[in-house]
Amino acid sequence: MTSEEDSRTTARPGLFSDTEVTLPAYRIQWLAKLMYGNAFEIVVIAVIIANAVSLGILTFQDVAPSVVAVAQAIDLFAIIFYSIELLLRIISYGTKPWMFFCNPWNVFDFLVVLLIPFLSNGTVVFRLVRLMRILRIFRFLPEARILMLSMVKSVAPLANLAVLIGFLMFIYAMAGVYLFGAADPDRWGNLGTAFLTLTVMLTLENFPDAFLSGLDITPFALLYFLSYMFFIVFTVLNVLIGIVLNAMDQAREEVAKNPAPGSGAASVSPHEEELEALRTRLAELEAGYKVSPDHLRRIREELDRLATG
């Protein structure tokens, strides 16, 4: 191993994860360990929760001025705390501060903490965006990160599914206008009304009423509604569940590979590092170096101990 690899240390990513991460040599070790420590993360979570409560209090109208003042003070304190925390995390990257921005969660924190406060007094949209500060709590909850990441990964396949659903619903909406439009204009009078009716029926809401009403108009309603229910409603629901489950599996694998947001290194346990070093050493010895059988036996015993331990 190189001297840089020898100087690496390990740290736990925080309160909600048992996996250890390797800290690269360029990190400020004591500061990085502090940022990943349980005590510091408890403080950060407490500030995020207090900030969420204060933002909630500020939405009420009939609140005592003293309570409003306290809520505003907590909100201001949270912004200052987030800024200091962000600065310390960037400083902890030592000689390579740009590595901080290699992690998407760090970029998210940077934008939320530094940009949103300057926009908080702007339009309603920017006032809503400031609530994204609360989403930083997901950084400390692995399972919540998995759910959030799975939602992001589901966007592309869901967009393709939406195109397919839109095309099929267009066909069914046009057929509904032709079949039921003259007799039931409130539900099927034009393409827009038919689309609205079919959209509501995706949840099977008022499906019996529309079905029975259609049967009174034409016997083709039986084939129309049953095919819509089985081919659109049930199929779409199953495909939707499949997309979400697949995205969740992908997100779980990604979080497992990088459990500590912003660590700048892949997660490696000390046993795995030591085991890999011994394997490399054994391969070098067997490749051409003269070594006694007893020495090889001791190395193999150590490998077995680490592998089973």
Side-chain angles (χ1 to χ4, degrees):
M1 294 189 296
T2 65
S3 59
E4 180 176 332
E5 289 173 335
D6 288 336
S7 61
R8 290 183 177 186
T9 59
T10 58
R12 291 195 178 277
L15 180 64
F16 301 99
S17 178
D18 295 328
T19 308
E20 292 185 336
V21 295
T22 301
L23 297 175
Y26 60 79
R27 298 289 299 269
I28 300 178
Q29 304 296 321
W30 68 268
L31 184 56
K33 289 182 178 180
L34 174 65
M35 307 307 291
Y36 296 140
N38 290 346
F40 187 79
E41 289 197 350
I42 290 175
V43 172
V44 175
I45 292 173
V47 172
I48 293 175
I49 294 175
N51 190 199
V53 173
S54 67
L55 292 175
I57 291 175
L58 293 175
T59 62
F60 292 92
Q61 300 296 328
D62 300 328
V63 180
S66 58
V67 176
V68 173
V70 172
Q72 291 175 342
I74 293 176
D75 188 37
L76 179 60
F77 170 80
I79 294 176
I80 297 174
F81 179 85
Y82 296 152
S83 302
I84 295 174
E85 181 219 358
L86 185 70
L87 181 61
L88 290 177
R89 283 168 55 197
I90 295 177
I91 293 175
S92 73
Y93 279 78
T95 58
K96 298 182 180 180
W98 59 87
M99 294 296 294
F100 173 85
F101 299 96
C102 292
N103 188 281
W105 281 97
N106 288 342
V107 175
F108 173 79
D109 285 353
F110 180 82
L111 294 176
V112 168
V113 173
L114 292 187
L115 297 183
I116 292 179
F118 296 103
L119 305 175
S120 59
N121 293 324
T123 64
V124 175
V125 175
F126 291 144
R127 292 176 184 175
L128 292 174
V129 172
R130 70 188 297 192
L131 294 176
M132 294 180 67
R133 294 202 303 261
I134 302 173
L135 296 180
R136 298 178 68 246
I137 200 170
F138 289 160
R139 185 165 59 90
F140 306 99
L141 305 173
E143 291 300 323
R145 292 206 309 272
I146 290 173
L147 292 175
M148 188 174 182
L149 187 57
S150 66
M151 292 172 59
V152 174
K153 289 183 174 295
S154 300
V155 171
L158 287 178
N160 295 329
L161 180 62
V163 173
L164 176 61
I165 295 174
F167 178 73
L168 294 176
M169 287 185 65
F170 173 80
I171 295 176
Y172 271 90
M174 291 296 295
V177 173
Y178 294 149
L179 290 173
F180 317 116
D184 191 0
D186 291 339
R187 289 192 178 100
W188 311 98
N190 54 57
L191 183 62
T193 305
F195 251 111
L196 180 60
T197 301
L198 291 174
T199 302
V200 174
M201 286 170 55
L202 277 176
T203 63
L204 297 180
E205 182 72 20
N206 296 329
F207 185 89
D209 295 338
F211 179 49
L212 294 176
S213 176
L215 285 177
D216 292 336
I217 299 172
T218 174
F220 290 107
L222 180 64
L223 178 62
Y224 177 87
F225 285 101
L226 289 182
S227 65
Y228 179 80
M229 181 174 63
F230 285 105
F231 291 113
I232 304 297
V233 179
F234 292 160
T235 301
V236 166
L237 180 61
N238 289 327
V239 172
L240 179 64
I241 293 174
I243 289 174
V244 173
L245 290 178
N246 183 62
M248 189 170 294
D249 290 338
Q250 295 177 1
R252 195 177 299 276
E253 293 177 0
E254 185 170 327
V255 171
K257 292 178 182 177
N258 186 21
S263 64
S267 62
V268 181
S269 68
H271 285 298
E272 290 175 346
E273 274 196 339
E274 192 175 352
L275 186 61
E276 185 62 30
L278 283 172
R279 282 173 177 164
T280 303
R281 184 182 177 190
L282 180 61
E284 291 175 349
L285 290 174
E286 291 179 331
Y289 294 96
K290 293 182 179 180
V291 61
S292 65
D294 184 62
H295 192 185
L296 285 175
R297 179 183 57 79
R298 289 199 302 269
I299 293 178
R300 287 195 177 95
E301 288 178 354
E302 185 69 15
L303 283 172
D304 293 337
R305 183 186 66 81
L306 290 172
T308 57

